[in-house]
Amino acid sequence: MSRLQVVSGKGGTGKTTVAAALALALAREGRRTLLVEVEGRQGLAQLFGAEALPYEERKIAVAPGGSGEVFALAIDAERALLDYLQMFYKLGSAGRALKKLGAIDFATTIAPGLRDVLLTGKACEAVRRKDKAGRYVYDHVIMDAPPTGRITRFLNVNDEVAGLARFGPIHNQAQAVMKVLKSPETAVHLVTLLEEMPVQETADGIAELREAGLPVGRVVVNMVRPHHLDEDTLRTAAEDHRAGVAKALSRAGLGGARRGGLAERLVDPLLRQAAEHAGRVELERAQRTVLAGLDVPTYELPLLGAGMDLGGLYRLAKELRKQSVAE
C-alpha cells in the first residue's frame, strides 16, 4: 500500500470526505496516519467537528477500537515558505520580517509554481520523516488535494519550477518532491459520482496523470444510491399499469381503487417516481461502463443521507476496509 495517498475529484463529489474516511481506515492496528489539507478551506476540521486546524500536526481522531491514530495538518504556503527559508538560508527573524512586509504573500502569489512546491514538499517531508529509532513517524500520509482539473499541474511541480529555477535549493527541493510523487510510495485516487460530468472529468484526469508519469491509484465512486426496484419492475416502470397499481394500493388499505379514490390518485405520482428511478439506474449503468473501460480499480461508497458527521466517516472507513481499499 502506497505511503502517500493523494485524493482528488471534481468539486461536489466529496473528495474531502473520502480522504478523511481513508485516513480512518488506514489508522488501524497501531498505525498512525497524517491527513493533510492544502486548499485552506478547513474542510477537515468541519468534518471531524474540531476547531480550525493550525499549521502544526494535531491528533484529530482515533481508529475504531482505539488502536490507531489520525493526525491532521492544514498546510499554509506562507508558513511553509518561512520554514523553507529558515531551512536553506537560516533567515530566522529576517524571514518573519519579510512576512510582515508582505513579501511572502507576494512571492507565493506571483509564482504559483513555488506555492505548489511548498505545499507538496511539506507533505512529502512527512512521508519521509523518521523518528530517532529510524522508524517512519507516519505509516501513511493522505492528502486532500485540489480538484481533478488541477491535480496533474499541482503534482507535477518539476515542470512548474522549471521557469523559476534550473538549479539551487528550489530546484533541488522540487526534484526531491518529484522523486516521492512519481515513486511506488505514492498513489493518486480520484473520487467521482455516477454522473456524466464527474465521470468524464475522472477519465480526463487519469489520462493526464498517466501522460505526466504520475501514479494512478483507484477510482472511488462516492454517494452511490441504492436500487429499490428489481429488474422486472425496472423494465416495466414506465409502462401504464394504472389499474393494477390502484388495486394493489387499495388492497394495502390506501383507499378505493375507483376513479377519484385515494388509491387511484396515488397512481400517477408513483409511476412517475418509478420511471425516474428506472431512468437513473440506466444512466448509472452507462457511467459504470465508462469507468470499467479506464482500466483502474473501482470501489463504491454508499450515500449516507444529507450531511456528514463523524459517525458517517467511521461507517465509510469500515466500508473501505471491507472492500480492501485500505490494505
Side-chain angles (χ1 to χ4, degrees):
M1 188 70 173
S2 302
R3 297 192 60 249
L4 175 59
Q5 314 272 322
V6 180
V7 181
S8 181
K10 179 177 171 58
T13 60
K15 68 178 180 65
T16 299
T17 297
V18 172
L22 181 60
L24 281 171
L26 290 168
R28 67 189 195 280
E29 299 172 1
R31 295 181 184 178
R32 289 161 54 98
T33 64
L34 175 64
L35 187 53
V36 173
E37 181 176 80
V38 298
E39 294 185 280
R41 297 184 297 107
Q42 290 294 338
L44 295 176
Q46 295 175 30
L47 276 175
F48 285 95
E51 296 180 357
L53 296 175
Y55 183 68
E56 61 184 31
E57 292 153 30
R58 171 182 294 179
K59 186 164 77 172
I60 198 170
V62 295
S67 60
E69 299 175 317
V70 177
F71 290 75
L73 167 67
I75 302 179
D76 175 81
E78 291 187 15
R79 292 287 300 274
L81 181 53
L82 286 175
D83 286 350
Y84 174 86
L85 293 173
Q86 175 60 24
M87 182 184 304
F88 290 104
Y89 298 104
K90 310 299 181 186
L91 290 185
S93 59
R96 291 189 292 274
L98 287 174
K99 178 176 174 61
K100 290 182 179 180
L101 292 172
I104 303 299
D105 183 60
F106 177 74
T108 56
T109 299
I110 66 170
L114 175 59
R115 177 181 289 269
D116 292 348
V117 170
L118 296 168
L119 295 174
T120 54
K122 188 70 175 178
C124 290
E125 181 276 325
V127 172
R128 299 190 300 262
R129 192 189 313 159
K130 295 183 179 181
D131 59 20
K132 293 181 179 179
R135 296 170 299 196
Y136 286 114
V137 173
Y138 295 108
D139 297 286
H140 299 282
V141 175
I142 297 88
M143 181 193 294
D144 177 21
T148 314
R150 295 197 292 116
I151 187 62
T152 300
R153 182 176 180 181
F154 174 76
L155 294 177
N156 205 19
V157 293
N158 191 48
D159 287 345
E160 286 294 304
V161 169
L164 296 173
R166 298 187 181 277
F167 54 86
I170 294 177
H171 174 81
N172 294 338
Q173 170 77 351
Q175 291 291 327
V177 169
M178 290 309 302
K179 185 176 181 180
V180 173
L181 293 179
K182 291 193 174 184
S183 76
E185 285 188 295
T186 299
V188 184
H189 309 306
L190 298 182
V191 182
T192 187
L193 305 178
L194 286 176
E195 299 173 4
E196 186 175 357
M197 288 185 63
V199 168
Q200 184 59 55
E201 190 162 311
T202 298
D204 294 341
I206 289 173
E208 291 174 2
L209 289 167
R210 285 172 171 165
E211 184 177 357
L214 292 162
V216 177
R218 300 174 171 87
V219 171
V220 179
V221 182
N222 195 24
M223 294 185 273
V224 176
R225 290 175 286 187
H227 293 171
H228 299 293
L229 303 178
D230 59 35
E231 290 298 318
D232 290 338
T233 305
L234 285 172
R235 279 193 295 269
T236 60
E239 299 177 9
D240 187 0
H241 295 283
R242 294 180 57 82
V245 173
K247 290 178 181 178
L249 293 173
S250 181
R251 287 195 297 270
L254 294 177
R258 295 182 180 181
R259 182 174 298 277
L262 176 60
E264 197 272 342
R265 294 199 303 272
L266 291 172
V267 171
D268 284 342
L270 286 174
L271 288 178
R272 280 197 300 271
Q273 288 186 18
E276 290 172 1
H277 182 74
R280 176 171 62 82
V281 170
E282 189 62 31
L283 289 172
E284 290 178 350
R285 283 176 175 165
Q287 298 313 311
R288 283 192 173 96
T289 300
V290 175
L291 292 173
L294 299 178
D295 194 27
V296 175
T298 301
Y299 301 90
E300 296 190 359
L301 290 175
L303 175 66
L304 298 184
M308 176 60 62
D309 56 16
L310 191 55
L313 285 179
Y314 277 100
R315 286 178 61 188
L316 294 180
K318 183 178 180 180
E319 185 63 33
L320 287 172
R321 288 196 300 272
K322 187 188 302 182
Q323 297 186 48
S324 302
V325 180
E327 289 187 351

